[in-house]
């Protein structure tokens, strides 16, 4: 009986210890599961994962006496370690959330300030008040118009003094009138008249004359760039025209005025190659003078 009592007493003492161990083991499993969830949230890529410093013993737990007490102490230590690590990771999550909210607030403040600046730039400034003593603007344009009319009156009269021919040949009459305007140094009026001849009578022999004379009017007016384009157009569009060789010659002259002597030399060469047998002796002499002035090789 005495032995039986001892055995029963030992069993009774083991049962609470075993229940306690199972309870702690359950807490450990729960904490480990929660910590893994937190780790996945803090370290989604798997970097920086924290591992418990104390792991469960590999062998089977010994129940009774000193081994049972040691197992409970190990489990208790694991629980404490896991709880501490879980608290640390929770604090990291809260800190990260705080930093994110702060950055978001800073960005919103910057966006509002930028929007305000853009809105301010787009708002028109208020117009300055007009002084009550300011004179009415009406007479000023009238005075300017009168002054302009007074200045232009002599020129209008001068242009009107250029006689318009009337032979019955419209193309011939319009060209001759343009030539007379150019000869009278009425360059803007001559240019308008010569453009009209080219546009109205493109098939007439006077079209080549008018386009070439248009370039000369620009050149005489001090507009070598426009002159070069007018001369080139005549050679390009009417190479068989009677004034195509003249346009090449004057094109070289315009290029010299534009400080392009090398291009002028090329144009002189083109003139000699294409029209060498058609140009007069006087033009050939002028070409040689031009080549010398441009220092053509």
């Amino acid at each position: 009986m005495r032995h039986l009592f001892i055995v029963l007493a030992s069993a009774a003492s083991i049962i609470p210890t075993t229940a306690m161990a199972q309870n702690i083991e359950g807490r450990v499993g729960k904490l480990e599961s929660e910590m893994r969830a937190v780790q996945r949230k803090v370290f989604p890529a798997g970097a920086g994962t924290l591992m418990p410093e104390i792991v469960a013993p590999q062998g089977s737990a010994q129940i009774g006496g000193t081994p049972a007490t040691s197992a409970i102490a190990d489990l208790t230590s694991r629980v404490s370690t896991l709880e501490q690590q879980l608290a640390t990771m929770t604090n990291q999550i809260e800190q990260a959330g705080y930093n994110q909210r702060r950055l978001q607030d800073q960005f919103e403040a910057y966006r509002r300030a930028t929007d305000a600046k853009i809105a301010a730039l787009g708002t028109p400034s208020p117009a300055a008040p007009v002084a009550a003593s300011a004179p009415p603007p009406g007479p000023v344009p009238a005075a300017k118009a009168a002054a302009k009319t007074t200045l232009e009156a002599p020129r209008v009269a001068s242009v009107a003094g250029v006689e318009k021919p009337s032979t019955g040949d419209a193309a011939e009459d319009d060209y001759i009138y343009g030539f007379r305007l150019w000869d009278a140094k009425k360059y803007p009026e001559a240019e308008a008249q010569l453009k009209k001849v080219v546009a109205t009578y493109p098939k007439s022999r006077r079209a080549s004359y008018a386009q070439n004379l248009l370039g000369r009017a620009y050149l005489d007016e001090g507009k070598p760039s426009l002159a070069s384009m007018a001369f080139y157009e005549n050679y390009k569009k009417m190479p068989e025209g009677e004034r195509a060789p003249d346009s090449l010659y004057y094109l070289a002259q315009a290029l010299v005025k534009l400080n392009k002597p090398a291009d002028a030399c090329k144009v002189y060469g083109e003139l000699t190659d294409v029209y060498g047998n058609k140009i007069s002796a006087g033009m050939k002499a002028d070409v040689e003078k031009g080549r010398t002035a441009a220092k053509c090789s």
Side-chain angles (χ1 to χ4, degrees):
M1 289 294 292
R2 185 171 179 273
H3 290 292
L4 179 60
F5 177 77
I6 294 171
V7 171
L8 291 175
S10 301
S13 64
I14 291 173
I15 290 174
T17 304
T18 303
M20 184 181 298
Q22 291 175 349
N23 182 41
I24 294 175
E25 187 70 30
R27 289 173 60 197
V28 170
K30 182 179 180 181
L31 285 172
E32 288 179 338
S33 177
E34 292 178 355
M35 189 178 72
R36 283 194 294 271
V38 173
Q39 287 175 337
R40 285 194 296 271
K41 187 173 182 180
V42 178
F43 307 108
T49 304
L50 300 176
M51 298 300 295
E53 298 178 358
I54 301 175
V55 297
Q58 298 298 323
S60 59
Q62 298 294 326
I63 300 175
T66 303
T69 303
S70 177
I72 292 173
D74 289 343
L75 291 175
T76 302
S77 176
R78 288 174 60 195
V79 169
S80 299
T81 302
L82 289 173
E83 288 176 342
Q84 181 180 1
Q85 292 178 349
L86 184 61
T88 301
M89 298 180 71
T90 302
N91 181 63
Q92 292 176 349
I93 292 175
E94 292 177 351
Q95 184 66 30
Y98 169 75
N99 292 336
Q100 183 177 2
R101 288 193 300 272
R102 186 177 62 178
L103 289 175
Q104 186 174 1
D105 292 342
Q106 291 176 351
F107 174 76
E108 289 296 328
Y110 169 77
R111 184 180 62 80
R112 287 193 296 269
T114 303
D115 291 344
K117 290 180 181 179
I118 294 175
L121 290 175
T123 304
S125 58
V130 180
S133 60
V140 176
K144 290 183 178 180
K148 182 177 180 181
T149 302
T150 302
L151 293 174
E152 289 182 351
R155 183 175 185 84
V156 172
S158 177
V159 172
V162 177
E163 183 182 0
K164 296 181 180 180
S166 180
T167 64
D169 186 341
E172 184 73 14
D173 290 345
D174 283 351
Y175 169 72
I176 295 300
Y177 180 55
F179 176 85
R180 290 175 178 176
L181 289 170
W182 167 77
D183 190 51
K185 296 182 172 51
K186 310 301 180 185
Y187 299 125
E189 292 79 7
E191 291 157 8
Q193 179 66 21
L194 294 168
K195 288 178 183 178
K196 175 187 173 184
V197 173
V198 176
T200 307
Y201 314 104
K203 301 298 183 181
S204 170
R205 61 185 287 267
R206 287 303 190 183
S208 177
Y209 280 79
Q211 184 69 26
N212 179 70
L213 193 57
L214 173 63
R216 293 191 62 182
Y218 283 133
L219 198 60
D220 293 341
E221 196 180 6
K223 300 177 180 178
S225 181
L226 292 176
S228 63
M229 289 188 287
F231 291 132
Y232 178 72
E233 285 292 312
N234 194 33
Y235 171 64
K236 178 182 177 182
K237 294 182 178 180
M238 294 175 280
E240 301 300 325
E242 296 179 43
R243 286 293 184 264
D246 298 75
S247 288
L248 279 181
Y249 171 77
Y250 286 111
L251 173 58
Q253 297 289 306
L255 290 172
V256 169
K257 291 183 178 295
L258 290 171
N259 296 320
K260 295 182 178 180
D263 292 337
C265 292
K266 294 178 182 178
V267 172
Y268 283 133
E270 182 80 3
L271 172 59
T272 303
D273 293 342
V274 177
Y275 302 108
N277 297 328
K278 298 180 180 180
I279 58 178
S280 64
M283 179 172 285
K284 289 181 180 179
D286 290 338
V287 168
E288 290 303 319
K289 292 179 181 179
R291 290 177 61 87
T292 302
K295 299 180 180 180
C296 301
S297 57

